[in-house]
Each structure stands twice: as C-alpha cells, then as structure tokens.
C-alpha cells in the first residue's frame, strides 16, 4: 500500500500516485508496455485476482513487471514526508528516502527498543515500559535459571547411571573371560592383557 498523500508537504505529481490505492508509490514497479506504475504490494494483490493492467486492461503478469525509471525514483525520494510516529509526538519532516533510517532511531517510535532503567536492564519495546515490573521479570529469570539447573542435574545423574552400568558390564565381561581362561590354558596371554589394562586404569 502506498503512503498517505496527506503526509506530504505540497502537491504530489499524479504520476507518483498508485492507481490502485491512490497513495504515493511505495516500492514502485512498472508494467513493461503501458508503463503504468504501481506499489509492489498493490499490484501483487491485484494479480492474485486477475492478470491485467488495472488502468488500461492490457494483459500483464507479475513476471513482466520491472523497476520504475530512475527519474521517477529520484522524484519520489525528494518528496518531503512526515514521520510515521507523528501521532506519538514526532514533528520531523524529511525526504522520503531518509524515512526508514529515521524510523529506526525515532525517539517517538512506540516499538523502539529501550532498556529498563529501574534496575533490571531488560530491553523491550518502548510502549511496554510503563507496564514493566522489574521484580516479576527478575523472578521469571530466576525461575528459568532454576529450571535449567534442575535439567542439568538430571542429565548428570543419567550420565552417572549409564557410566555405572557400563563399568558393571565391563567387570562382568572380565569375569567371564577369566572363567574361559581357567577352562582353556591357551588364553593365558588374554588374561595378562586384561590385567595389564586394569593396572593402567
């Protein structure tokens, strides 16, 4: 959807208006033959219903669209527009091509990330700060950490149990091999190897 015309200073050339939404072109694209320009979002939504130009009804598809000429992009970029956050107190008026960079740092942006200065330092959208409670947040953090510690303790206990089972299996295997050796003297070398490994352990 295009930008609201009332946000701009002075008259806006009709060639810079989207014929679908009647707003100032946003991310404009152009039909290849008739050269009519539209907001990218507007024409994409239009083509979901019908594959024709909304102005002269010529056949055109999304794949046919191309960027508007540089001269049109330059004309759009020089337009003076009010900030999106004007209703929140921002009085800035700036070039259209500077709008996005301004919005990232606009102090009136209700969604601008800010840090709690009451003690916890949590980063949150500015409009959530008035309802923020440091104690509740810190309790939540402590509970999360306690849950992680509990999960780690369970994992360690499981690993210890598995290790104990493996050691028991090894001892049973060694006892079994000794029993075989006692029944077959030719396995003397095998027993010596086992005893040597026990010393190393």
């Amino acid at each position: 959807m295009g930008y609201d015309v009332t946000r701009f200073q002075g008259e806006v050339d009709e060639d810079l208006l989207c014929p679908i939404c009647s707003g100032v072109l946003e991310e404009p694209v152009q039909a290849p033959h008739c050269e009519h320009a539209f907001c990218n979002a507007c024409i994409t939504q239009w083509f979901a219903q019908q594959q024709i130009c909304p102005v002269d009804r010529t056949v055109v598809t999304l794949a046919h669209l191309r960027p508007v000429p540089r001269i049109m992009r330059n004309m759009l970029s020089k337009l003076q527009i009010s900030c999106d956050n004007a209703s929140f107190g921002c009085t800035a008026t700036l070039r259209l091509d500077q709008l996005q960079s301004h919005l990232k740092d606009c102090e009136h942006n209700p969604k601008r990330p800010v840090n709690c200065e009451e003690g916890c330092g949590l980063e949150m959208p500015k409009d959530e700060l008035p309802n923020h409670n440091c104690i509740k947040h810190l309790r939540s953090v402590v509970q999360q950490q306690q849950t992680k510690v509990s999960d780690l303790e369970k994992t360690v206990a499981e690993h210890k149990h598995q290790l104990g089972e493996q050691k028991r299996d090894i001892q049973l295997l060694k006892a079994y091999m000794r029993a075989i050796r006692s029944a077959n003297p030719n396995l003397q070398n095998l027993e010596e190897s086992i005893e040597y490994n026990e010393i190393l352990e």
Side-chain angles (χ1 to χ4, degrees):
M1 299 296 290
Y3 300 99
D4 187 344
V5 177
T6 60
R7 292 178 57 187
F8 293 84
Q9 288 188 343
E11 294 291 329
V12 178
D13 193 305
E14 289 186 1
D15 291 337
L16 302 181
L17 302 181
C18 174
I20 299 176
C21 69
S22 300
V24 176
L25 291 166
E26 182 176 6
E27 298 181 3
V29 291
Q30 187 179 58
H33 302 299
C34 61
E35 297 187 346
H36 292 123
F38 315 94
C39 299
N40 186 48
C42 292
I43 194 63
T44 299
Q45 185 176 2
W46 174 275
F47 282 158
Q49 303 296 326
Q50 47 195 333
Q51 303 287 301
I52 57 175
C53 173
V55 178
D56 59 18
R57 320 303 286 183
T58 56
V59 176
V60 62
T61 66
L62 194 62
H64 294 149
L65 298 177
R66 63 189 184 190
V68 297
R70 178 181 295 179
I71 186 172
M72 181 175 286
R73 295 198 301 271
N74 290 341
M75 291 172 64
L76 285 166
S77 67
K78 293 178 181 179
L79 293 177
Q80 296 289 317
I81 187 173
S82 61
C83 176
D84 291 14
N85 303 311
S87 60
F88 297 102
C90 183
T91 59
T93 300
L94 57 157
R95 284 170 51 120
L96 184 57
D97 60 355
Q98 299 173 344
L99 179 61
Q100 293 306 314
S101 60
H102 167 76
L103 291 176
K104 292 179 181 178
D105 300 320
C106 179
E107 63 180 12
H108 297 280
N109 181 359
K111 296 301 180 182
R112 182 171 64 91
V114 295
N115 294 101
C116 172
E117 298 180 353
E118 299 299 322
C120 71
L122 177 68
E123 184 179 88
M124 71 194 78
K126 183 180 178 181
D127 59 352
E128 295 181 11
L129 190 59
N131 297 322
H132 171 63
N133 186 308
C134 289
I135 295 178
K136 287 184 178 180
H137 169 66
L138 292 175
R139 283 177 178 171
S140 175
V141 171
V142 170
Q143 290 176 352
Q144 292 175 4
Q145 295 302 319
Q146 288 177 337
T147 300
K148 290 181 180 179
V149 170
S150 177
D151 291 341
L152 288 173
E153 289 176 344
K154 291 179 181 178
T155 300
V156 170
E158 290 175 357
H159 288 170
K160 286 183 177 180
H161 176 73
Q162 292 174 359
L163 182 60
E165 292 289 324
Q166 291 173 353
K167 287 183 177 180
R168 187 183 65 179
D169 291 342
I170 291 173
Q171 293 301 323
L172 290 174
L173 179 59
K174 289 179 178 180
Y176 177 70
M177 294 178 70
R178 288 194 184 97
I180 294 177
R181 182 264 171 192
S182 63
N184 188 347
N186 293 330
L187 296 179
Q188 177 67 37
N189 292 336
L190 180 59
E191 181 183 16
E192 292 177 353
S193 176
I194 293 174
E195 292 176 349
Y196 177 73
N197 289 333
E198 288 177 343
I199 294 174
L200 293 180
E201 292 177 358

